[in-house]
Amino acid sequence: QTKSDDVILGISAFARMVGVAAQTLRAWDNAGKLPAPRTSNGTRIYRPDQLQQARAILDGEQRRPKGYAASRK
C-alpha cells in the first residue's frame, strides 16, 4: 500500500488536477508562489498535499480585478 507522502506527480498530471495549464504551474514556481521540488534532471514534481495550496492560489487569482498585475508596478 502506498502512502500519500510517497506519491509524486508530474507537472501535466498535477496541472489537470488543479485545472490550470502546466505553464501556469511553471510561472507559480518561478514566482515562488508554489515552489516545486525538482528531480535530478530538473523536472518539476508535485505532491498531492500541494493541491489545496494550488487551488487557493488559483482562487486568489480569479478574484483579482482585471489589470491588477499591471497596476501594481
Side-chain angles (χ1 to χ4, degrees):
Q1 189 164 344
T2 305
K3 295 187 309 184
S4 62
D5 292 347
D6 297 335
V7 175
I8 58 168
L9 301 163
I11 194 167
S12 296
F14 193 73
R16 281 192 301 275
M17 291 174 72
V18 177
V20 298
Q23 187 58 38
T24 299
L25 294 178
R26 289 183 191 98
W28 289 352
D29 182 22
N30 292 337
K33 292 181 181 181
L34 186 69
R38 308 273 182 123
T39 63
S40 59
N41 67 356
T43 301
R44 290 174 174 89
I45 54 174
Y46 296 87
R47 297 177 319 277
D49 65 351
Q50 291 177 285
L51 189 57
Q52 185 176 358
Q53 181 183 1
R55 288 184 174 154
I57 294 167
L58 179 61
D59 185 51
E61 290 190 354
Q62 290 175 340
R63 291 174 186 255
R64 283 193 306 200
K66 283 196 172 204
Y68 178 81
S71 67
R72 293 206 20 132
K73 289 184 179 177

